[in-house]
Amino acid sequence: MESPPATSSPAPADLQPEPPWSAGLAAGLLVVLCLVVYIACLAPSVCGGDSGELITAAWDFGVAHPPGYPLYTLLASLFCRMPFAEIAWRVNLLSALCDALAAGLLCLLVARATQRSAAGFVAGGLWAFCELIFRYAVCAEVFALNNLFVILLAWLAFSYWQKPRTSLALWGAFVFGLGLSNHHTLLFVGLPMVAMVLWRGGRALLRPKIMAALVGVGLLGLSPYLQLPVAASQKPLHSWGDASTLEGFSTHFLRKEYGTFRLTAEKDTQASPISAWLQYFERLSADLQWAGLGVLLLGLWVCIRRPSKHAPFIWLAATAWIYLLVFQSLANIEINPGKVGYGVFTRFWQLPHVLLFALFGFGFAQLQRWLPGKAGAAWLLAVVLVGLQLGVHVPPVAASGNLLFRDYARSLLEPLPEDAVYLATGDVKSGTLRYVQGCLQVRDDVRVLLHPLLQASWYNALARHHFPELVFPGERYGGPGYSLLQLLRANPGTSFFCSPLHKHPDISWKQGYEQVPWGMVYRLQPLGDSLDIPAQLQAAGAILAHDALGRLEAPPRGTWERAIWNEYWIAVRTNGSYLLREGMLRDNRRDMLEMAARLYDLLLEVIPRPQYQSLKNAGIVYHTLQRSEADLAKRDRVWRLFLERAPADDPFRPKARQVLELE
């Protein structure tokens, strides 16, 4: 196969050539700007999603969820050992550094390809400060490192296309393998780039010795995976799977517990391809400030118009579409903007963003031809656009004061009695609890068991190793294994707490236990046991002590912050309702009713128009207490709101009208 002719990018005849150092200077300035902004907005503690789990795995030298992310874990472990700030902040800094370097490389790539440093600066700056990228540049996640590998591969592929050298191909193979030891989605970007390089290299790369060398250095890049069996053999508490055996390693590496190349273990869920494409273009348009989409299309037109000159960027654009096509056909998760799954899905759109923002740079370089003053006007426009991007997209996702997730984990643990067992459900709970217990040693006497993982035999073995005083009546939980009732009865005298079990398929616990609201969690209390009222009131008081979880402005739907906010107010309503009912059953026991009143006071202060059931309960408790004229005034106010919001057939409407003397 004949190799295509080498291409170069001479400066357009109507533009003065820039000094050779200008591209490097623009990239360096952008890296510094990104680092300053990212660090100023860096989350001070743990964040949502996988953040807590990844930090704790790095701190404990453990294994993260499949496929293990060993390169990220090793790098994060180094950042964990820095001698300042909270552990989470140190690992958050790794994300900031990776995305800042990625922005600089994107700037350098576009500037070298177009020979216009302003085009590189604006492409890298808009990318670095768009909402999708910025959100994950200020917290501990694997995506910033993944972005860095994408742009590094793109840079190596572009460099090879300009001047084919075996050394560049070998570096590309090594970087590809190394990137895969961070995140498997790099495969969907890397393979098209491999095809691009092989097409350009032709027979020179297809010789057996060269191919063997390429495969060898690629496998060398995967060497961080050796960390998995080493770490698993130490049996750290906050770890996942049993990669110490060949079968366990294979299961982990191939993500068999989720399904290889699938997002979740759900089998019957699938994203709508049309909806996914439309929502991606909506996200891309918003991140480019809408008008920028036209500049991107202009860049694509520039490349297509002169394919021999701009062939590398046509390849890179095609790579972005290939990635979207493959990923969105495999992703088995619903992308409803009002649900957390939307954020889980859309964070994988960062990879095509890297490549498509490069096309924006090409469009901007074309605009520079038409601007008066050329370079000066282009730089002024580039700085204005990046400044607008900072002002529009950064404030909503800046995380410099975000202690929500750390405080949330504390609110779950603090009211629990010593040596309690807490069956936790959900990513936001499991990650934050691992972090505050494993890294900050907050209430590490509480034995946290991740309820869904009890279905895995490896997790039961790990729990037995770390909690030998607990009895696990089988190899694993669920199905042919033991039930929740059997686990509870195998450990008499142990206080068990849980996340809500109302929708859980295992209802065996109802044969001998009841769920009692206990602050932000529930206690599994044996039927017939008397209620520990002082402890119950203390647990409800812990909700009030963490009122910052509910007082923040309602977060956007579909975020982890919104999930915590919703959970907090559910706890307020649930504990208030329970204390009201139990207090009235105990001859209007005053301390229980007064705690219920404090909870409803908070609810009505922050959410002036809550659900009508809460209004009804608040009216009852204020009417029953009648401590002062203020209580009666609050009672009358909530009854009026109740009559506005309650269905016409609600049986309590006549009572409310009677109290208000409206009959």
Side-chain angles (χ1 to χ4, degrees):
M1 174 169 36
E2 291 290 332
S3 298
T7 60
S8 60
S9 301
D14 54 341
L15 291 176
Q16 293 296 320
E18 293 187 338
W21 46 262
S22 60
L25 179 61
L29 289 173
L30 183 59
V31 169
V32 172
L33 175 63
C34 290
L35 275 177
V36 169
V37 176
Y38 286 163
I39 292 174
C41 299
L42 206 62
S45 189
V46 67
C47 296
D50 300 326
S51 174
E53 183 215 354
L54 292 168
I55 297 168
T56 311
W59 179 251
D60 284 349
F61 198 68
V63 178
H65 67 277
Y69 313 102
L71 179 63
Y72 180 88
T73 302
L74 291 169
L75 290 174
S77 182
L78 295 177
F79 276 73
C80 281
R81 271 64 194 177
M82 292 192 301
F84 53 85
E86 188 177 315
I87 295 169
W89 188 95
R90 305 169 199 170
V91 185
N92 296 340
L93 181 62
L94 172 60
S95 293
L97 180 61
C98 288
D99 265 340
L101 291 174
L105 269 176
L106 178 57
C107 171
L108 196 61
L109 174 65
V110 173
R112 289 281 171 84
T114 64
Q115 295 194 2
R116 298 294 104 193
S117 55
F121 184 85
V122 74
L126 291 185
W127 177 82
F129 299 130
C130 75
E131 182 179 336
L132 180 62
I133 302 303
F134 199 96
R135 183 181 298 278
Y136 296 98
V138 294
C139 68
E141 272 285 10
V142 296
F143 301 104
L145 183 58
N146 209 26
N147 294 336
L148 180 57
F149 276 110
V150 171
I151 192 61
L152 189 54
L153 280 177
W155 169 259
L156 289 168
F158 170 74
S159 299
Y160 185 87
W161 191 276
Q162 284 195 312
K163 187 175 181 180
R165 285 179 291 172
T166 304
S167 60
L168 284 173
L170 291 171
W171 274 112
F174 177 73
V175 168
F176 188 23
L178 195 63
L180 287 174
S181 68
N182 173 62
H183 209 289
H184 285 182
T185 53
L186 190 68
L187 189 70
F188 306 141
V189 171
L191 287 180
M193 291 188 190
V194 168
M196 168 184 169
V197 170
L198 289 176
W199 173 267
R200 180 71 177 95
R203 294 189 180 92
L205 292 182
L206 295 176
R207 289 180 295 177
K209 286 185 179 180
I210 300 298
M211 288 299 296
L214 291 170
V215 172
V217 296
L219 292 175
L220 180 63
L222 292 170
S223 60
Y225 272 102
L226 297 175
Q227 182 258 354
L228 298 189
V230 174
S233 66
Q234 305 303 310
K235 294 184 170 33
L237 172 60
H238 304 291
S239 195
W240 186 301
D242 182 14
S244 61
T245 67
L246 183 60
E247 181 182 359
F249 179 86
S250 171
T251 296
H252 211 76
F253 178 77
L254 296 175
R255 287 174 54 91
K256 291 180 181 178
E257 290 170 308
Y258 290 102
T260 304
F261 295 129
R262 310 292 278 182
L263 278 184
T264 72
E266 299 291 334
K267 296 181 179 179
D268 300 325
T269 306
Q270 185 66 45
S272 165
I274 296 177
S275 174
W277 279 94
L278 291 175
Q279 291 191 60
Y280 176 73
F281 283 116
E282 183 180 354
R283 177 74 269 164
L284 178 64
S285 300
D287 285 341
L288 281 169
Q289 301 181 26
W290 293 96
L293 188 59
V295 180
L296 186 153
L297 293 174
L298 175 62
L300 182 60
W301 174 78
V302 168
C303 292
I304 293 174
R305 192 174 60 129
R306 301 183 66 181
S308 61
K309 177 179 178 181
H310 300 306
F313 281 84
I314 297 175
W315 273 99
L316 295 181
T319 296
W321 306 130
I322 291 170
Y323 172 88
L324 287 167
L325 180 66
V326 174
F327 172 76
Q328 296 185 166
S329 66
L330 292 174
N332 56 331
I333 191 169
E334 183 182 1
I335 49 171
N336 183 336
K339 296 184 178 180
V340 170
Y342 178 77
V344 173
F345 188 99
T346 58
R347 60 189 181 175
F348 292 95
W349 286 343
Q350 294 180 64
L351 271 69
H353 260 41
V354 177
L355 303 175
L356 294 179
F357 272 71
L359 285 181
F360 174 90
F362 263 84
F364 189 90
Q366 180 65 29
L367 287 179
Q368 189 171 342
R369 292 171 173 269
W370 305 329
L371 288 173
K374 306 300 183 187
W379 265 106
L380 178 61
L381 180 58
V383 170
V384 169
L385 288 175
V386 172
L388 284 173
Q389 190 83 320
L390 268 168
V392 171
H393 287 147
V394 169
V397 291
S400 56
N402 189 356
L403 295 172
L404 177 70
F405 296 94
R406 187 185 72 184
D407 292 347
Y408 169 69
R410 289 179 182 271
S411 75
L412 297 172
L413 294 171
E414 284 177 359
L416 302 184
E418 188 175 356
D419 295 327
V421 174
Y422 176 39
L423 301 170
T425 302
D427 289 345
V428 69
K429 287 187 178 70
S430 63
T432 55
L433 288 170
R434 286 179 178 189
Y435 173 73
V436 298
Q437 283 196 315
C439 298
L440 304 183
Q441 283 74 55
V442 172
R443 290 302 311 272
D444 50 4
D445 62 292
V446 175
R447 292 156 296 180
V448 174
L449 298 176
L450 304 182
H451 197 169
L453 292 188
L454 284 171
Q455 298 177 73
S457 57
W458 64 260
Y459 187 74
N460 283 263
L462 192 65
R464 287 190 184 95
H465 177 77
H466 286 278
F467 308 126
E469 68 281 4
L470 294 180
V471 176
F472 295 86
E475 184 180 351
R476 63 184 185 88
Y477 164 74
Y482 60 86
S483 67
L484 180 54
L485 179 64
Q486 290 172 319
L487 176 64
L488 297 172
R489 287 180 171 171
N491 295 276
T494 301
S495 296
F496 276 84
F497 296 81
C498 63
S499 304
L501 293 174
H502 305 300
K503 297 181 180 181
H504 200 278
D506 180 4
I507 59 173
S508 62
W509 57 273
K510 293 184 177 181
Q511 299 175 37
Y513 293 80
E514 62 176 329
Q515 275 193 126
V516 175
W518 198 272
M520 294 287 290
V521 301
Y522 291 82
R523 182 177 184 181
L524 286 167
Q525 181 166 293
L527 293 173
D529 277 17
S530 58
L531 185 65
D532 185 348
I533 294 176
Q536 179 77 37
L537 294 174
Q538 183 180 3
I543 298 177
L544 297 172
H546 289 277
D547 62 341
L549 298 177
R551 288 187 181 275
L552 76 162
E553 185 178 349
R557 296 181 182 276
T559 62
W560 295 111
E561 289 84 354
R562 182 63 176 234
I564 290 176
W565 188 84
N566 286 338
E567 188 174 327
Y568 180 82
W569 290 114
I570 290 172
V572 169
R573 295 195 301 268
T574 303
N575 282 262
S577 173
Y578 183 81
L579 289 169
L580 170 61
R581 183 178 71 250
E582 294 298 317
M584 294 184 72
L585 289 174
R586 290 166 172 78
D587 297 324
N588 293 337
R589 178 162 171 153
R590 201 158 189 84
D591 55 355
M592 299 182 78
L593 296 180
E594 287 180 346
M595 180 59 75
R598 290 177 63 192
L599 291 168
Y600 286 117
D601 285 345
L602 176 63
L603 179 69
L604 293 166
E605 176 190 348
V606 180
I607 304 179
R609 297 178 66 82
Q611 296 175 347
Y612 76 89
Q613 298 95 330
S614 297
L615 291 167
K616 176 168 61 178
N617 290 339
I620 293 171
V621 75
Y622 293 146
H623 181 78
T624 305
L625 282 174
Q626 295 191 28
R627 297 169 296 188
S628 63
E629 289 296 323
D631 278 342
L632 296 178
K634 286 190 289 187
R635 178 203 66 184
D636 293 349
R637 182 171 70 88
V638 291
W639 281 135
R640 288 189 178 93
L641 283 172
F642 171 77
L643 290 174
E644 289 178 15
R645 308 204 67 186
D649 59 350
D650 188 282
F652 224 84
R653 290 183 67 92
K655 175 66 175 177
R657 294 180 63 86
Q658 181 181 358
V659 170
L660 294 171
E661 299 180 345
L662 297 177
E663 286 288 343

